[in-house]
Amino acid sequence: MEYPKELVKIVNERSKNYALEGFVTGSGPLDPKLMIVGEAPGRKEIENLIPFSGQAGKELMACFASVGLTREDVYITSALRSRPYKINERVNKKTGAKEIVYPNRTPSKKEVFAHAPLLDYEIKAVKPKLIATLGNIGLKRLLGNTYTVSKFHGQIIKHPIQVLNEKMESYVWSKKDYTIVPLFHPAAIFYNRKLAPLIKADWQVIGQLLQTVDNN
Ligand code: URA
């Protein structure tokens, strides 16, 4: 996806005080059956500029395959287009020397808001028939803070989404309803293997929906 230069400039300005690095554009076909909204790119993604190309991406591709999809069928993006990092000092176990590392972290609400013009633009341009959010960040970005993935995963929600107002100063509800299915983030199973059967079942909901959405 190529974003309007002016919009990227606005987002850079809105994000300038946050610990974010790199810029990975969303990618995939226009008018897809499915759009994925994740959290933010990680280290791997900002290196090779392909969304979900790291470890979480491998899990996601397996979920796609379970419902007969490939990466090329799906528009893939996230609430943020840059990697949120933190700065940690630690002792290198091998050398004993102090070192600074920059691991990924969960983005703040303010950072999601700073990047909101890009996701708004993508949703308008891509016109997905169905949106699956991965994890709480993408879900709350679109449906607000009352939604949590643990409560709503696998449910089919027809609802307006949060979009920025004209001045890009606050969220308002879209005029149009969207079909959203909240899903766990594929990286969640790295921390909790017990989620695997739930994730599998939720993807079957997506599989069923894909058979009914009009693809003309
Ligand atoms: N997690 C996300 O939410 N997006 C990516 O592109 C990679 C990991």
Side-chain angles (χ1 to χ4, degrees):
M1 160 76 59
E2 219 177 292
Y3 308 110
K5 282 199 179 69
E6 197 49 41
L7 209 55
V8 175
K9 225 170 124 184
I10 290 170
V11 169
N12 285 339
E13 182 60 27
R14 289 164 69 99
S15 322
K16 68 177 183 219
N17 295 324
Y18 302 127
L20 299 171
E21 68 162 353
F23 191 87
V24 186
T25 62
S27 77
L30 300 182
D31 266 320
K33 281 186 170 185
L34 178 63
M35 179 182 204
I36 291 290
V37 178
E39 180 174 311
R43 199 185 293 278
K44 188 86 182 175
E45 285 79 17
I46 63 155
E47 261 169 40
N48 60 24
L49 305 180
I50 302 169
F52 279 100
S53 48
Q55 253 199 318
K58 272 193 199 143
E59 294 294 330
L60 183 60
M61 294 312 126
C63 296
F64 283 0
S66 76
V67 294
L69 292 173
T70 65
R71 175 183 283 278
E72 287 67 38
D73 298 319
V74 182
Y75 188 91
I76 307 177
T77 190
S78 311
L80 270 84
R81 308 287 357 115
S82 300
R83 180 177 87 98
Y85 63 90
K86 54 188 169 189
I87 305 173
N88 287 349
E89 197 183 271
R90 70 173 185 195
V91 175
N92 184 303
K93 279 190 191 137
K94 277 188 196 147
T95 64
K98 272 194 187 158
E99 61 184 14
I100 310 269
V101 289
Y102 303 88
N104 296 345
R105 66 173 165 79
T106 305
S108 68
K109 291 235 158 39
K110 284 183 178 170
E111 289 169 330
V112 171
F113 183 72
H115 271 236
L118 294 174
L119 185 58
D120 279 3
Y121 177 82
E122 284 180 300
I123 292 173
K124 259 201 189 151
V126 170
K127 298 188 181 69
K129 296 180 178 64
L130 168 64
I131 299 177
T133 53
L134 302 183
N136 273 319
I137 300 293
L139 173 60
K140 288 169 184 259
R141 159 66 173 90
L142 294 183
L143 291 179
N145 290 331
T146 54
Y147 284 81
T148 59
V149 72
S150 52
K151 196 160 169 206
F152 287 94
H153 69 92
Q155 295 189 28
I156 302 162
I157 299 166
K158 293 201 165 88
H159 201 274
I161 56 168
Q162 293 193 129
V163 293
L164 291 172
N165 68 358
E166 217 169 301
K167 288 183 167 174
M168 299 187 185
E169 287 170 352
S170 63
Y171 291 124
V172 292
W173 292 107
S174 64
K175 293 205 172 67
K176 186 174 138 25
D177 274 354
Y178 287 81
T179 305
I180 316 264
V181 177
L183 300 175
F184 287 103
H185 196 284
I189 60 160
F190 303 145
Y191 311 102
N192 184 1
R193 281 273 148 202
K194 286 192 188 135
L195 290 177
L198 293 183
I199 293 178
K200 209 168 163 190
D202 290 348
W203 272 92
Q204 291 313 303
V205 174
I206 300 283
Q208 296 274 316
L209 273 175
L210 291 176
Q211 288 185 5
T212 61
V213 292
D214 173 25
N215 198 29
N216 295 320

